[in-house]
Amino acid sequence: MTRPNFLFENNFEVPLILYCFAIITFIYRDRDIRIYLLVAISILLTGSRSGLASFLVVSIFYLFSLDRKKIVWVSIAISCVLGYLVFIRGVSSFNVTNIDQVDRLKTFLGLLSFYDYSFIEILKNPLGMGVYQKIPLGICNRMEGYANWFTGNYFNCDPIMLQSFVARALYQFGIYVLILIPCLYFWELRKRTGSYLALLLLVPILCTSFSVGGFSNGLSFGGLLLAILAFNQTAGSKQIEHGLPASNQVLKAQ
């Protein structure tokens, strides 16, 4: 298989891998380059384009924490992952203008056609079309085979056919709610971990929201909660090292 499943689905696994990497590197502060290379190989094997996007953004944070020699190795790893993904997925799979092949990016473009590709039209629907509102027939007709594969019915126009959280939320909840959700995530994370780490921890789940699952994916939530738990543990251990009273430690952990 060119895209082997580690657990059960390639795109679902990437956020958990990246969250584990963030915990090791940015919370436990282990900058071992071999760990990064293992992550690069994992992303390479998944063959996920959204995973690649997440990996590249996280790599930017990682690069700023390294010396020059390690930066060279990281740059080589990034180039290998990018080259391999283009090889196994094909250049055509990155071409969103080709609607002959069903793809999440292409269905998103189809959804934009419902709004006449006008940002003003999107803003005119502040709360979206509703959770149970069928997606436009034009999009359904464009991907009947996909509907049959995904829902078992050629004529099923449920919004779940859009798959990616961004496409579904834009249609169902509207752009204002869609923007509000990551803002609330960042606000909550910032209170617990600080701005820098909150921004980093938002990257995997945000990038995956453009692919399968996104914010609705349990593995993404699980990785995020593990990161918060690891941060709270390290914060508590630092208080113990500085000899703070136990009551202060409990309050700080809370």
Side-chain angles (χ1 to χ4, degrees):
M1 296 175 63
T2 57
R3 301 183 63 194
N5 294 326
F6 293 159
L7 296 176
F8 55 87
E9 216 285 342
N10 308 95
N11 294 308
F12 289 172
E13 295 157 0
V14 172
L16 185 60
I17 294 172
L18 290 178
Y19 276 125
C20 291
F21 174 71
I23 291 171
I24 295 171
T25 304
F26 298 98
I27 297 179
Y28 294 150
R29 301 184 182 278
D30 186 345
R31 298 291 198 274
D32 192 338
I33 191 70
R34 293 172 297 181
I35 297 175
Y36 180 84
L37 294 178
L38 285 174
V39 173
I41 293 172
S42 300
I43 303 300
L44 180 147
L45 290 176
T46 63
S48 170
R49 288 166 298 188
S50 60
L52 172 64
S54 304
F55 175 72
L56 292 179
V57 176
V58 171
S59 295
I60 295 175
F61 286 87
Y62 186 63
L63 282 172
F64 283 111
S65 66
L66 300 176
D67 54 39
R68 291 183 178 180
K69 184 178 180 180
K70 289 184 177 180
I71 287 177
V72 174
W73 284 103
V74 170
S75 301
I76 293 174
I78 293 174
S79 301
C80 291
V81 172
L82 180 59
Y84 183 76
L85 282 177
V86 172
F87 175 74
I88 67 171
R89 299 299 295 271
V91 178
S92 61
S93 66
F94 291 85
N95 182 11
V96 298
T97 60
N98 179 17
I99 63 174
D100 295 333
Q101 181 182 359
V102 174
D103 186 85
R104 298 173 195 96
L105 295 176
K106 299 175 182 61
T107 57
F108 183 70
L109 288 179
L111 179 64
L112 290 182
S113 67
F114 172 73
Y115 298 100
D116 296 325
Y117 300 99
S118 173
F119 186 66
I120 301 299
E121 291 298 321
I122 294 177
L123 295 177
K124 288 180 180 179
N125 295 279
L127 298 178
M129 300 298 146
V131 176
Y132 300 106
Q133 182 66 34
K134 300 290 186 179
I135 65 174
L137 286 174
I139 302 178
C140 281
N141 294 333
R142 185 178 299 179
M143 53 180 184
E144 286 184 356
Y146 185 63
N148 183 52
W149 171 80
F150 195 72
T151 65
N153 186 345
Y154 271 95
F155 306 101
N156 192 327
C157 295
D158 289 333
I160 195 173
M161 289 169 52
L162 297 173
Q163 281 202 304
S164 77
F165 178 84
V166 171
R168 290 169 60 184
L170 178 63
Y171 181 72
Q172 293 178 308
F173 307 132
I175 190 170
Y176 301 104
V177 176
L178 176 61
I179 295 175
L180 176 64
I181 292 174
C183 291
L184 290 177
Y185 264 78
F186 177 77
W187 182 59
E188 288 292 336
L189 288 172
R190 183 175 178 271
K191 291 193 301 182
R192 290 163 171 77
T193 64
S195 299
Y196 181 82
L197 193 56
L199 186 61
L200 172 66
L201 295 179
L202 197 61
V203 169
I205 196 171
L206 186 61
C207 289
T208 309
S209 66
F210 288 90
S211 186
V212 177
F215 281 95
S216 62
N217 179 19
L219 282 178
S220 297
F221 279 117
L224 183 61
L225 293 176
L226 283 176
I228 295 175
L229 175 62
F231 179 82
N232 288 339
Q233 287 178 335
T234 55
S237 63
K238 288 179 181 178
Q239 292 189 44
I240 294 175
E241 291 176 0
H242 289 82
L244 295 178
S247 58
N248 288 353
Q249 296 170 22
V250 173
L251 290 175
K252 182 66 176 179
Q254 293 175 344

